[in-house]
Amino acid sequence: MNGEREHRARGGREDARGARGEEKRAVLRPDATVLRSEAVIPRDNVVRPAPNRFSHVLEEMHPYWFERSEQAPQPDGMLPAGTPVLLLREEGDHCRVVTGTGLYVTVERANLRKRPDDG
């Protein structure tokens, strides 16, 4: 038995084969984790299909809110500078926009720059 283990260890390929000559394969799965509630995007904040034309771009890295209200002063996330967005609705100094990934959020109007017309 010990000699057989040495042979398989030296041979390499035989080590990974079962009794019928079939290759054994292991499936490695990560440990399951439950995401915090902040990691979930509300259904009402996803647009499908996502837009493929955009009217504005974010000039700087910018916070966004799923719903902008006095009860939600903390942003829900950040969008990187240069993110193209489609402006859907203006609400005073804030706007409702959709990103290329279909994220429908509120951003501050001051950080939006109109894109030049493509044609």
Side-chain angles (χ1 to χ4, degrees):
M1 182 90 169
N2 194 14
E4 184 178 333
R5 283 187 189 154
E6 285 181 34
H7 175 72
R8 286 187 178 183
R10 280 183 268 152
R13 296 184 110 199
E14 292 178 42
D15 206 21
R17 299 200 180 269
R20 296 183 185 162
E22 297 170 354
E23 193 165 329
K24 293 180 185 178
R25 295 187 180 169
V27 177
L28 303 177
R29 299 175 198 262
D31 293 336
T33 57
V34 177
L35 298 175
R36 298 185 320 249
S37 61
E38 299 88 37
V40 178
I41 298 173
R43 179 177 283 154
D44 291 343
N45 290 89
V46 178
V47 173
R48 293 287 181 245
N52 59 5
R53 292 184 183 231
F54 306 99
S55 58
H56 292 74
V57 65
L58 294 175
E59 292 184 323
E60 300 173 0
M61 188 168 184
H62 193 69
Y64 67 83
W65 295 264
F66 293 133
E67 288 296 324
R68 183 71 173 144
S69 67
E70 296 304 316
Q71 293 84 18
Q74 296 295 324
D76 293 303
M78 298 291 286
L79 292 171
T83 300
V85 297
L86 177 62
L87 176 64
L88 296 180
R89 189 170 73 218
E90 298 179 34
E91 301 171 338
D93 59 345
H94 289 84
C95 301
R96 295 291 282 176
V97 299
V98 180
T99 67
T101 60
L103 186 62
Y104 176 56
V105 293
T106 299
V107 296
E108 293 175 2
R109 176 197 281 252
N111 197 22
L112 291 179
R113 180 178 38 118
K114 189 160 178 62
R115 290 175 53 129
D117 291 334
D118 292 344

